[in-house]
Amino acid sequence: MPVIIAGVEPGSPAQRGGIQAGDRLLTINGHPIDDVLDYRFYLTERKLLLSLETDTGPRSVRLKKDEYDDIGLQFDTYLMDKQHACRNKCVFCFIDQLPPGMRESLYFKDDDSRLSFLFGNYITLTNITEREISRIIEMHISPIHISVHTTNPALRCQMMGNRFAGNCLDILRRFADAGIRMECQLVLCPGFNDGGELRRSLSDLEGLMPAMESVACVPVGLTRYREGLTPLRMFTREEAAAVIDLCETVGDRLRAETGNRLVYPADEFYIKAGRPIPAADFYGEFSQLENGVGLCSLLRSEFLDALCEETASPAGSRLVLATGVAAFPLLRELVGAAKQKWPSLQAEVVAVRNRFFGETIDVAGLVTGGDLIEQLKGKSGDRLLFPDAMLRHEGDCFLDDVTLEQAEQALGIPLQPVPAADGYALLQALLQ
């Protein structure tokens, strides 16, 4: 379908070609343009023939440009059409566990192959079209981030609440045969897709190497808002240890055979099992940081390296560091190491319990502004440091819509977000 041009940049090739806002872009060099991926892929050619619909009828425009130059067209949305929504009803879906009354955008479930490539969003393949599959292969779009969860077709249909979910596993093989790189995640639910089912999934995904580059095993997150949903529970300490043992056994073998460990348990499994998180070299290129895989190890490694190299001294500020319950021991360890080097450093680490979603949620990225205010009120200091993962992408408010300004006014202390997985930035924040 035609893509409506919302604006044309002054002085651009498109303006010089007489293209106007309201014109509808049909093709570039004969290729239909439906969205941003089509547009960006075919825009790289130096000589372009644009086919347009205008208010006065069809029109063709020829443009010349350098390979990576833009032509100056503007569109209403980044994707150039609507975002694709999820068609599943996964038993573990976190969005289904949100309380009412939050901002509308938090309730939207995306499942869009374009966002998988552009921003690393995970897709389930249950609503992908044959044209999208062919386009990914033709354009060699990589990597694609895929929520697999299980390679047992019947179990996948059950867990995802979609009778077609099992059929989509064939697409993984098509991508692998075409050399499309894939990063996958398995959200593990005890009694569903762990144990023997996890062993089966890892074996099947191993068969897709080298196109299958990494697999993150992530524990299900459960809030206190699960009324009417499939009964699920958290992993026990022993079950978490069993997941680690299986993943490490498979990973050790694959690393010896291929140089790629492939499978990585999320940091939460090590914390739940009471086991030390592996050293940084365990995680290769850290390709699954967004899934909480290796984040703690990377933070520790960078912080301690920076600490050894740093020659400056703390500025004398009194600091409070807020984090989630899961990351509290690590932050306390790192601040303790800094205090050993600088005994005058005044910094207190505080674990914020998640009363908004329920205390089964212990990651820092889901701490709300309300919990921060309630539990830190009365804490004195010159600055309050917290991981920027607590804020939405725009960086202006927490999940519960409490703004930075509101939190600062309520606490009476300046708030300073710090990159969540950047040990160098954390040390500099302590020294400012």
Side-chain angles (χ1 to χ4, degrees):
M1 59 184 296
V3 177
I4 299 175
I5 298 168
V8 180
E9 185 178 337
S12 66
Q15 187 193 48
R16 293 194 296 271
I19 300 175
Q20 300 179 7
D23 290 349
R24 294 165 293 283
L25 177 62
L26 302 178
T27 67
I28 295 179
N29 290 347
H31 302 287
I33 304 300
D34 289 333
D35 58 30
V36 65
L37 290 189
D38 292 331
Y39 180 68
R40 291 296 173 190
F41 185 78
Y42 296 114
L43 199 66
T44 58
E45 300 181 37
R46 297 176 184 274
K47 294 181 180 180
L48 305 177
L49 175 62
L50 277 63
S51 174
L52 304 161
E53 281 183 357
T54 72
D55 291 341
T56 57
R59 180 168 177 248
S60 296
V61 176
R62 293 186 180 275
L63 302 175
K64 290 184 178 181
K65 54 179 276 298
D66 290 335
E67 184 177 6
Y68 296 107
D69 285 354
D70 197 1
I71 60 174
L73 297 183
Q74 300 167 349
F75 304 93
D76 283 332
T77 65
Y78 180 81
L79 293 175
M80 298 166 57
D81 73 345
K82 292 182 179 180
Q83 191 171 339
H84 297 169
C86 180
R87 297 177 180 175
N88 308 313
K89 189 69 175 176
C90 295
V91 297
F92 50 80
C93 179
F94 194 83
I95 294 176
D96 288 343
Q97 303 177 67
L98 295 179
M102 302 181 75
R103 59 178 176 270
E104 185 177 349
S105 61
L106 293 175
Y107 299 100
F108 181 79
K109 306 177 186 180
D110 77 82
D111 195 4
D112 197 314
S113 61
R114 300 163 301 180
L115 296 178
S116 179
F117 171 63
L118 294 169
F119 301 115
N121 293 24
Y122 278 83
I123 59 174
T124 66
L125 302 176
T126 57
N127 68 353
I128 195 169
T129 65
E130 181 58 37
R131 181 185 183 277
E132 289 178 288
I133 296 169
S134 299
R135 180 173 67 172
I136 288 170
I137 294 172
E138 175 191 351
M139 295 182 179
H140 206 77
I141 293 173
S142 286
I144 297 295
H145 299 78
I146 303 170
S147 291
V148 176
H149 308 314
T150 176
T151 59
N152 178 335
L155 179 59
R156 194 169 196 255
C157 292
Q158 176 191 353
M159 293 189 69
M160 300 178 69
N162 186 325
R163 62 192 178 96
F164 302 109
N167 302 336
C168 302
L169 296 171
D170 294 336
I171 302 172
L172 299 177
R173 172 56 63 188
R174 292 178 63 182
F175 285 163
D177 290 344
I180 303 301
R181 295 182 291 117
M182 292 175 281
E183 313 278 357
C184 287
Q185 69 172 357
L186 309 177
V187 175
L188 299 184
C189 304
F192 281 80
N193 57 342
D194 58 341
E197 290 293 348
L198 175 57
R199 187 174 291 106
R200 168 183 173 159
S201 295
L202 296 182
S203 177
D204 290 342
L205 296 175
E206 174 187 338
L208 301 176
M209 294 176 73
M212 181 63 65
E213 294 191 329
S214 69
V215 178
C217 292
V218 184
V220 62
L222 305 177
T223 78
R224 60 189 179 95
Y225 299 96
R226 286 196 58 82
E227 295 85 355
L229 300 178
T230 300
L232 294 176
R233 61 177 177 82
M234 305 292 289
F235 278 88
T236 66
R237 183 186 182 98
E238 294 72 25
E239 289 169 335
V243 170
I244 295 171
D245 289 341
L246 175 56
C247 292
E248 289 190 349
T249 298
V250 173
D252 289 344
R253 174 178 57 80
L254 289 176
R255 184 170 185 178
E257 294 173 355
T258 70
N260 178 9
R261 180 173 291 279
L262 182 67
V263 56
Y264 301 91
D267 295 1
E268 294 169 74
F269 276 117
Y270 288 96
I271 294 169
K272 183 69 176 178
R275 293 190 180 181
I277 292 173
D281 60 1
F282 178 89
Y283 294 98
E285 298 297 321
F286 288 96
S287 59
Q288 294 273 5
L289 277 178
E290 292 298 320
N291 263 321
V293 174
L295 191 150
C296 292
S297 186
L298 180 62
L299 183 65
R300 177 192 287 117
S301 175
E302 289 184 345
F303 185 90
L304 295 179
D305 285 348
L307 189 63
C308 290
E309 299 167 1
E310 186 59 61
T311 58
S313 298
S317 300
R318 294 173 301 124
L319 305 175
V320 179
L321 285 78
T323 188
V325 171
F328 172 74
L330 173 61
L331 265 293
R332 183 175 54 184
E333 171 196 335
L334 299 183
V335 170
K339 286 182 175 180
Q340 284 188 338
K341 182 168 184 174
W342 300 296
S344 64
L345 178 64
Q346 302 179 70
E348 177 188 3
V349 183
V350 179
V352 181
R353 298 189 176 277
N354 202 318
R355 293 176 181 144
F356 185 87
F357 289 115
E359 295 194 18
T360 52
I361 303 297
D362 57 6
V363 296
L366 293 176
V367 169
T368 62
D371 280 340
L372 200 70
I373 292 169
E374 177 192 354
Q375 296 173 50
L376 272 69
K377 207 157 193 176
K379 290 284 183 185
S380 61
D382 298 311
R383 279 179 295 131
L384 190 156
L385 309 182
F386 68 98
D388 62 357
M390 292 184 187
L391 301 174
R392 69 173 180 172
H393 179 72
E394 292 81 359
D396 57 344
C397 67
F398 296 86
L399 272 172
D400 56 356
D401 285 337
V402 172
T403 67
L404 274 174
E405 182 180 4
Q406 289 170 333
E408 285 184 338
Q409 289 177 349
L411 292 170
I413 181 174
L415 270 62
Q416 179 181 343
V418 180
D422 190 333
Y424 299 102
L426 176 59
L427 181 62
Q428 288 307 307
L430 291 178
L431 295 178
Q432 287 176 4

